[in-house]
Amino acid sequence: MIGTRPNDTLRPLELLRPHAEYKLPPLSEGDFALILKRYGVDLSADLMHKFYAGMQANALYLDLAAQELAVSPNRDRRNCSSV
């Protein structure tokens, strides 16, 4: 799998034949919950949904948010009112 900006690495690869481009579907909210669990992050369902919607189901951003939340100082995130 290659993740890149659309025309950087992908363009030279398009010249190779045969090739098939696979567009990754958006991450599901359930998948985001699993990522949070993997990093040991406990969020309320409402706050998790706000992160998910705010980052438009982008797997890269959601994983990065989970990583950042995992290393942030411990605090009660279940009752946070804003993202």
Side-chain angles (χ1 to χ4, degrees):
M1 175 190 325
I2 296 177
T4 182
R5 295 176 194 254
N7 292 321
D8 289 350
T9 303
L10 190 57
R11 180 66 184 134
L13 292 175
E14 287 174 344
L15 300 175
L16 301 174
R17 299 283 179 209
H19 77 277
E21 183 177 344
Y22 176 76
K23 301 252 186 210
L24 290 175
L27 195 69
S28 75
E29 207 160 341
D31 290 336
F32 180 45
L34 291 173
I35 289 172
L36 291 170
K37 184 177 179 180
R38 184 181 95 201
Y39 288 112
V41 176
D42 185 30
L43 295 179
S44 68
D46 183 54
L47 188 54
M48 183 185 76
H49 178 73
K50 287 179 182 180
F51 271 103
Y52 180 80
M55 297 190 190
Q56 302 175 350
N58 183 300
L60 176 65
Y61 297 149
L62 291 168
D63 186 69
L64 181 59
Q67 290 179 49
E68 289 297 317
L69 288 168
V71 298
S72 67
N74 284 341
R75 60 183 181 162
D76 185 7
R77 292 187 196 96
R78 296 191 63 75
N79 296 318
C80 291
S81 60
S82 63
V83 174

